[in-house]
Amino acid sequence: MTDTKDIKREEIAPVCECQAIHTEAVEEVRGKMPPEDELYDLADFFKVLGDSTRIRILWALDERDLCVCDLAALLGMTNSAISHQLKSLRQARLVKYRRMGKSVLYSLDDDHVRDVVEKGLAHIKEG
């Protein structure tokens, strides 16, 4: 028979059985921790990435620069819906655009964005 304590332990993350604080470790990390406003900005960054449509757009733009019409056709969405998502991605500085005649081509903002997308996908594939 399974003890109810064992069931509860499996449902939560493992924790120490003691209450000792490792002061040296805490102080070392505290000294390296970024300012609160930067951590809030980082959380917002990951919130933008927390939408599967935006991830699909970023993945596509990692392959090549595309216009709104191309992205809409690729993802089976309306131009309006794609534009709305691109606005969020632009505000988060994840994508940029350039005009080419009558077309507006979108691309990843920089190699950091490419790294986040590629490393995130590689991490998912590991499992």
Side-chain angles (χ1 to χ4, degrees), residues 9-45:
R9 283 189 192 136
E10 290 175 12
E11 292 175 2
I12 61 172
V15 296
C16 297
E17 293 182 17
C18 67
Q19 295 297 315
I21 295 173
H22 303 92
T23 307
E24 186 176 310
V26 171
E27 291 306 317
E28 176 187 336
V29 173
R30 181 176 284 133
K32 295 177 181 178
M33 189 168 283
E36 283 293 313
D37 59 330
E38 288 181 12
L39 293 174
Y40 284 122
D41 290 345
L42 182 60
D44 287 341
F45 170 80

Side-chain angles (χ1 to χ4, degrees), residues 53-72:
T53 298
R54 290 191 288 263
I55 290 294
R56 292 167 63 205
I57 291 169
L58 292 173
W59 185 89
L61 295 177
D62 187 28
E63 290 298 310
R64 67 171 295 158
D65 298 358
L66 296 166
C67 73
V68 171
C69 299
D70 296 336
L71 287 164

Side-chain angles (χ1 to χ4, degrees), residues 90-121:
R90 267 193 349 264
Q91 288 173 335
R93 296 182 308 129
L94 296 173
V95 300
K96 60 186 177 186
Y97 68 90
R98 71 181 187 284
R99 293 191 181 276
M100 288 196 60
K102 293 183 178 185
S103 295
V104 176
L105 292 179
Y106 282 84
S107 61
L108 297 180
D109 190 72
D110 61 27
D111 287 338
H112 296 115
V113 179
R114 178 168 279 105
D115 290 346
V116 168
V117 172
E118 291 176 359
K119 288 180 193 264
L121 191 56

